[in-house]
Amino acid sequence: DQQVKQNSPSLSVQEGRISILNCDYTNSMFDYFLWYKKYPAEGPTFLISISSIKDKNEDGRFTVFLNKSAKHLSLHIVPSQPGDSAVYFCAATLSGSARQLTFGSGTQLTVLP
Amino acid sequence: NAGVMQNPRHLVRRRGQEARLRCSPMKGHSHVYWYRQLPEEGLKFMVYLQKENIIDESGMPKERFSAEFPKEGPSILRIQQVVRGDSAAYFCASSPGLEREQYFGPGTRLTVT
């Protein structure tokens, strides 16, 4: 039972344009969401997070939007750069002592020069 | 400030041998998490530890796998009598405490021949 889903395995975007990566979740108890970027043969790198009490969080070129009623979040990267090419994972966590991250299966972003 | 360290980076074991994976958290971090990534999949939670305590091992297989985080030294993930299905990338993450963000090491790639 996949509680966090990334339905697009891959996405290609032209350099300078906006990249939009999507993520859906089924567990309404999740209250904190994170995005990680991963290059081959490296560990995931934390990008940005959002609490369920917010609907938007911005950090430089990265913005995460949360739609709780739709159980959907998205990561916007503007402008996209070739160095952004990587696998992006959405993750979610519960409040309280259960600290484990539940990950989606990832989306491979390719930014074309 | 050094990041999360994992060693070895690559480990080859024959079926039936033992594998020991080590993780040193970031300085000041007292919470350690282990995740496993099978090919073409997202990361799956295995176990969450604090110093000398296992907090949550709900993702750990019941047999052959164990984890510890002693008072001194790194966290160890131990896999006894490895089988081919144990071949995967094993990632360790750490967090300082109450914060939800986890910071990942580079991973150990285990190959069972």
Side-chain angles (χ1 to χ4, degrees), chain A residues 36 93 96-101 103, chain B residues 4 6 23 25 29-36 43-50 55-56 67 69 75 77 90-105:
Chain A
Y36 285 84
T93 184
S97 59
R99 296 294 190 87
Q100 59 174 282
L101 296 177
F103 281 87
Chain B
V4 177
Q6 288 188 250
C23 168
H29 288 195
S30 57
H31 299 240
V32 165
Y33 314 81
W34 286 92
Y35 293 82
R36 176 165 67 174
L43 283 75
K44 297 281 195 291
F45 168 78
M46 299 181 75
V47 62
Y48 162 34
L49 311 104
Q50 295 179 26
I55 307 301
D56 179 0
F69 189 15
S75 175
L77 179 68
Y90 291 82
F91 293 98
C92 169
S94 71
S95 68
L98 296 177
E99 292 81 354
R100 307 284 198 102
E101 288 80 8
Q102 297 177 18
Y103 298 89
F104 283 80

Side-chain angles (χ1 to χ4, degrees), chain A residues 12-109:
Chain A
S12 291
V13 169
Q14 210 66 37
E15 182 179 3
R17 299 288 187 105
I18 184 171
S19 295
I20 300 177
L21 297 107
N22 293 304
C23 178
D24 297 293
Y25 62 96
T26 56
N27 189 341
S28 56
M29 299 300 291
F30 287 139
D31 69 343
Y32 201 82
F33 303 89
L34 308 91
W35 283 94
Y36 285 84
K37 176 168 80 171
K38 185 179 181 303
Y39 293 118
E42 293 185 13
T45 301
F46 170 71
L47 274 177
I48 192 169
S49 58
I50 187 167
S51 165
S52 60
I53 62 173
K54 296 186 175 182
D55 54 20
K56 177 182 174 181
N57 188 25
E58 193 171 350
D59 183 2
R61 295 186 299 115
F62 302 93
T63 303
V64 56
F65 295 91
L66 175 61
N67 182 333
K68 279 183 65 178
S69 61
K71 294 192 180 69
H72 177 83
L73 63 156
S74 60
L75 174 68
H76 293 211
I77 307 173
V78 180
S80 302
Q81 300 172 353
D84 296 330
S85 297
V87 178
Y88 288 77
F89 289 101
C90 166
T93 184
L94 303 167
S95 60
S97 59
R99 296 294 190 87
Q100 59 174 282
L101 296 177
T102 301
F103 281 87
S105 53
T107 297
Q108 170 70 58
L109 172 67

